[in-house]
Amino acid sequence: MSTFQAPKGTYDLIPPESAKYLAVREAIAAPLRNSGYGYIETPGFENVELFARGVGESTDIVTKEMYAFETKGGSKLALRPEGTASVLRAALEANLHKLGNLPVKLWYSGSYYRYERPQKGRYRHFSQVGAEAIGAEDPALDAELIILADQAYRSLGLRNFRIILNSLGDKECRPVYREALQNFLRGLDLDEETLRRADINPLRVLDDKRPDIQKQLTDAPLLRDYLCDACKAYHEEVRELITAAGVVFEDDPKLVRGLDYYTRTTFEFVHDGLGSQSAVGGGGRYDGLSEMIGGPALPSVGWALGVDRTVLALEAEGVELELPASTSVFAVPLSEEARRVLFTKVTELRKLGIAADFSYGSKGLKGAMKNANRSGARYTVIAGERDLAEGVVQLKDMESGDQTAVGVNEIVAELESKLG
Ligand code: HAM
């Protein structure tokens, strides 16, 4: 070990486990790529004000969890705690909403940073794959996103996740509900901090996990009963579309999210094998966010799935991903001339798209065969002085253990046909 370790709340992705993370990212991205979403990448940091305005001044993310700093030039920046505000900022900046048809559909994959108290499933550096559909108000778009996330998880072999769904209303009906909830909360026995929260962001109090608070909330008014007709009809349409697609979900009238930009449809993917950090993904509609960050009205919807927690969920379910072996052919030279010959063959195989590796450094046959075994290669090609003198190399089938001599000039074609 060196003097240094990964910072608190972070961890390294190291082979062979790291292959799982790549596979998860790819599995989440595949249905998006297949549904008209284009890839977007934005910087790891942004103007801090983007998140303050976008995610919400009073959210935990902005008040406690942001890695905010001032640059030498005096700019106030923050490492991105989430992707939605950045993606919308980038889309507006590039005028994507004016260039083509709406919605603008984008997907992304990257690192996010929150200064949270680390525990299993909760890290200070984590990874999300997300999707945003910008500039359209259409229940089919909300449904599409939920269906695609469901499809991604199923393609990975996950089964024990649940989708919970709610509507948070819009600027017509939410304020009426907010006031009703505030009146209710004022009548409860709450500590000072919670009362303050009830003033600033009463919906967040519903999300308080403490049992004594939850007990008092049993009779709290529900947003469901305050939705205006337009929100009700919209939500009903989303529910019908995902039901028709065979996606199972649960209505959760108490679902609130930790970010302030949501309107109407909100959802979370939860996995029951993860303990307290059970949300593997979440998202919803954010019809007002564009205006909150100085853009035009652009009703939008999206989600982000956590890669770290999805991997934990796979482990909790005992799902083994079928990862292709990273090496198909391993070359073991036993003389100087063999090194040159086999190195050329490895290069040729790689050009043909066959994953091949080589025994580097001067190892004896035993050490080199150990490496061949560890590489997971299906075939090993071994050559020594005597083989080359006869114009052959030895082809070893690592599954059966059989070994046959193959002509030096035939070996590449032979492997190509064997590996199909
Ligand atoms: P979020 O619910 O804050 O939503 O994060 C989405 C997912 O990221 C979570 O469900 C979780 O899997 C993962 N995640 C969040 N924080 C951590 C952490 N500290 N450690 C490990 N994993 C974590 C958003 O970020 C929204 N931008 C989603 C969205 C997109 N809404 C609309 N569009």
Side-chain angles (χ1 to χ4, degrees):
M1 201 159 75
S2 82
T3 325
F4 300 105
Q5 290 168 25
K8 187 175 170 191
T10 73
Y11 62 102
D12 305 304
L13 298 182
I14 287 165
E17 277 75 31
S18 52
K20 268 200 269 189
Y21 288 75
L22 269 184
V24 165
R25 288 192 186 112
E26 270 161 28
I28 300 173
L32 298 170
R33 283 202 188 104
N34 196 35
S35 311
Y37 290 76
Y39 179 66
I40 185 168
E41 213 169 294
T42 64
F45 50 80
E46 295 272 353
N47 190 317
V48 70
E49 199 54 32
L50 173 69
F51 301 118
R53 282 212 238 161
V55 175
E57 209 85 59
S58 72
T59 57
D60 282 352
I61 294 181
V62 169
T63 54
K64 301 183 205 157
E65 297 169 1
M66 221 148 47
Y67 282 90
F69 57 99
E70 199 172 316
T71 65
K72 291 189 177 72
S75 305
K76 293 200 167 66
L77 303 176
L79 299 187
R80 58 184 182 187
E82 64 105 43
T84 309
S86 311
V87 167
L88 188 54
R89 194 268 308 139
L92 290 170
E93 191 171 329
N95 276 320
L96 296 187
H97 58 298
K98 291 184 188 157
L99 296 179
N101 288 337
L102 295 176
V104 177
K105 301 208 285 188
L106 301 166
W107 77 274
Y108 52 93
S109 171
S111 292
Y112 297 86
Y113 308 86
R114 295 183 194 175
Y115 189 73
E116 299 200 74
R117 199 155 46 78
Q119 62 179 95
K120 190 179 177 204
R122 188 162 76 188
Y123 310 106
R124 291 180 170 176
H125 165 261
F126 58 97
S127 159
Q128 290 183 343
V129 176
E132 313 291 348
I134 296 164
E137 187 184 282
D138 182 341
L141 200 52
D142 308 41
E144 165 176 292
L145 279 160
I146 295 171
I147 293 164
L148 293 177
D150 182 76
Q151 195 185 324
Y153 279 150
R154 291 198 182 276
S155 78
L156 281 166
L158 270 184
R159 290 292 171 268
N160 304 333
F161 64 90
R162 295 180 290 125
I163 301 174
I164 54 179
L165 184 68
N166 193 19
S167 172
L168 289 180
D170 63 6
K171 56 179 186 288
E172 299 302 319
C173 52
R174 179 122 52 108
V176 184
Y177 169 69
R178 191 174 187 269
E179 202 172 315
L181 180 62
Q182 259 168 347
N183 285 337
F184 171 84
L185 294 174
R186 287 194 191 110
L188 302 182
D189 177 23
L190 300 172
D191 58 276
E192 215 161 286
E193 199 194 320
T194 312
L195 278 173
R196 203 169 331 117
R197 193 173 307 150
D199 264 347
I200 303 167
N201 200 335
L203 270 77
R204 189 78 43 65
V205 180
L206 295 179
D207 206 26
D208 200 312
K209 300 282 185 304
R210 288 173 292 181
D212 59 310
I213 305 263
Q214 275 306 320
K215 217 164 57 204
Q216 298 191 68
L217 291 175
T218 341
D219 295 325
L222 292 175
L223 185 48
R224 186 168 61 188
D225 303 321
Y226 286 76
L227 290 182
C228 59
D229 288 343
C231 284
K232 243 187 251 169
Y234 193 97
H235 196 57
E236 206 35 56
E237 179 76 12
V238 174
R239 296 178 75 256
E240 276 170 25
L241 286 166
I242 57 180
T243 306
V247 172
V248 180
F249 64 93
E250 298 163 22
D251 292 302
D252 181 355
K254 285 201 172 149
L255 173 68
V256 277
R257 308 253 309 121
L259 307 94
D260 277 353
Y261 47 62
Y262 291 109
T263 51
R264 292 194 167 170
T265 314
T266 42
F267 48 86
E268 234 156 36
F269 292 80
V270 293
H271 195 279
D272 294 320
L274 295 187
S276 65
Q277 303 306 310
S278 61
V280 286
R285 193 153 262 292
Y286 48 94
D287 293 340
L289 179 57
S290 175
E291 286 154 297
M292 278 149 70
I293 62 170
L298 281 173
S300 308
V301 56
W303 52 241
L305 308 186
V307 176
D308 311 74
R309 287 187 198 166
T310 302
V311 170
L312 289 174
L314 288 167
E315 285 166 3
E317 280 194 39
V319 177
E320 288 291 341
L321 297 180
E322 272 174 46
L323 302 172
S326 47
T327 302
S328 301
V329 179
F330 197 90
V332 174
L334 300 174
S335 73
E336 262 319 301
E337 193 196 346
R339 283 176 68 76
R340 278 191 295 274
V341 172
L342 290 191
F343 190 75
T344 315
K345 299 295 175 194
V346 163
T347 306
E348 277 178 51
L349 288 167
R350 288 173 176 167
K351 277 190 191 147
L352 292 167
I354 295 171
D357 204 357
F358 187 78
S359 178
Y360 292 102
S362 43
K363 288 186 193 68
L365 177 61
K366 227 171 120 191
M369 287 312 288
K370 217 187 241 171
N371 282 3
N373 268 317
R374 257 193 224 134
S375 77
R378 181 73 172 75
Y379 296 100
T380 299
V381 178
I382 309 154
E385 248 163 78
R386 209 180 316 147
D387 297 308
L388 294 182
E390 289 169 18
V392 298
V393 296
Q394 300 297 323
L395 176 60
K396 183 170 181 183
D397 182 325
M398 300 298 275
E399 252 165 47
S400 65
D402 294 346
Q403 191 168 310
T404 46
V406 178
V408 177
N409 298 326
E410 280 80 55
I411 185 65
V412 170
E414 175 78 12
L415 282 166
E416 198 183 10
S417 85
K418 275 188 186 303
L419 290 162

